[in-house]
Amino acid sequence: MEVIYPELFPIEIPPNTVMLKGLNWDSNIYLFRSGREALVVDTGAGDNTERYFSLWLGEGYLNGLKKVIIFNTHEHFDHVGGNLKMRELFERLGIKVVFASHRVTAEAIERAESSIILDYAYGKRFKGHKVELKLDDGDYIRIGRRKLLLIHTPGHTAGSSCLYLDGEVKLMFTGDTLFKGTVGRTDLPSGSHEELRKSVERLSAFGVDFGLPGHGWVIKDWRENLRKVMEVL
């Protein structure tokens, strides 16, 4: 396979997860598989969607897929801007696509609420679309034989949420709630520093082997990272 974008490469994380570091302004994008079903966590701003998809396809990560749930961790354009293009690419292969997010995020996406999504900051216009799975705190997303817990973690935005996979290897998809060494900003519409602090405190109750943030690198020292972050919150 010809490598046109050498800065883009898959990072494989057990169990059955592929991380793509976002290009340019894009969020990180994750693909998690169980059997013939998959979860995509966030889609970036949309300019590089075909590059991500082509890599997955060329490396065989999509072989045999029948259904994909695209989950948006929160409302910002750098995480949702690629939604419709990503759906189109999957559907070309005959793969069913369902959108999912926390209820607050879903409402902003369906209304194309520019003041929250911030598409104008990227010189773009976000096209609203239906979100089939509107989730609340404590709900589960089922992917094949696995299920992931939605944890509502407002602070970066009102709808910000994490997904937690419990098992022999424990994963936490943190969106922009928690990064390696820091947290998401709270000075944008619907952000709240106090809410973010409460959300980060809540995450400390979970055992995590790999924290998978919306930007930056994998969090491997979950407890120590949380301790350092809480010191400056």
Side-chain angles (χ1 to χ4, degrees):
M1 180 179 179
E2 183 181 3
V3 179
I4 303 175
Y5 306 100
E7 72 275 29
L8 182 62
F9 57 91
I11 301 168
E12 295 187 353
I13 300 161
N16 304 319
T17 303
V18 179
M19 172 186 181
L20 297 180
K21 289 280 279 95
L23 300 172
N24 303 324
W25 295 104
D26 289 343
S27 66
N28 294 337
I29 297 174
Y30 298 93
L31 178 74
F32 167 78
R33 279 198 65 158
S34 176
R36 294 192 172 189
E37 297 185 1
L39 172 75
V40 171
V41 179
D42 291 328
T43 63
D47 289 340
N48 302 296
T49 309
E50 290 191 4
R51 306 179 194 182
Y52 303 134
F53 196 87
S54 293
L55 187 150
W56 288 338
L57 194 60
E59 295 296 323
Y61 294 120
L62 307 183
N63 292 350
L65 271 185
K66 297 297 183 183
K67 179 182 176 181
V68 169
I69 293 179
I70 296 176
F71 176 81
N72 295 124
T73 58
H74 63 287
E75 305 91 308
H76 287 159
F77 187 74
D78 57 330
H79 294 252
V80 305
N83 280 5
L84 292 179
K85 184 62 176 179
M86 188 72 79
R87 180 177 68 182
E88 176 189 340
L89 293 170
F90 277 116
E91 288 182 341
R92 284 183 192 175
L93 298 179
I95 298 170
K96 180 181 179 181
V97 174
V98 174
F99 286 109
S101 70
H102 185 271
R103 187 172 303 279
V104 173
T105 296
E107 290 171 356
I109 289 173
E110 291 187 339
R111 294 196 305 263
E113 194 170 349
S114 188
S115 62
I116 299 295
I117 292 173
L118 306 178
D119 49 353
Y120 59 85
Y122 298 83
K124 305 285 186 178
R125 184 168 183 176
F126 179 75
K127 184 177 180 180
H129 62 79
K130 182 175 178 58
V131 179
E132 291 83 2
L133 292 179
K134 298 178 177 68
L135 303 167
D136 294 306
D137 184 66
D139 288 345
Y140 284 93
I141 292 179
R142 295 186 180 275
I143 306 294
R145 295 184 177 181
R146 310 302 293 270
K147 62 180 184 178
L148 296 95
L149 172 68
L150 185 139
I151 307 162
H152 186 209
T153 54
H156 179 60
T157 68
S160 289
S161 298
C162 301
L163 285 181
Y164 181 62
L165 176 70
D166 196 0
E168 291 184 9
V169 178
K170 304 177 190 299
L171 304 181
M172 183 76 80
F173 297 93
T174 63
D176 286 5
T177 296
L178 180 68
F179 304 125
K180 187 171 178 61
T182 189
V183 293
R185 59 192 293 183
T186 59
D187 60 337
L188 296 171
S190 86
S192 166
H193 182 270
E194 181 59 31
E195 287 294 324
L196 183 60
R197 181 179 177 83
K198 291 177 182 177
S199 293
V200 172
E201 286 178 344
R202 187 178 178 198
L203 290 180
S204 66
F206 294 86
V208 176
D209 296 303
F210 298 106
L212 305 178
H215 301 275
W217 293 102
V218 175
I219 303 166
K220 297 179 181 178
D221 53 343
W222 181 255
R223 294 289 181 194
E224 180 63 13
N225 189 67
L226 280 170
R227 185 189 66 78
K228 290 178 179 178
V229 166
M230 289 300 299
E231 285 180 352
V232 297
L233 264 181

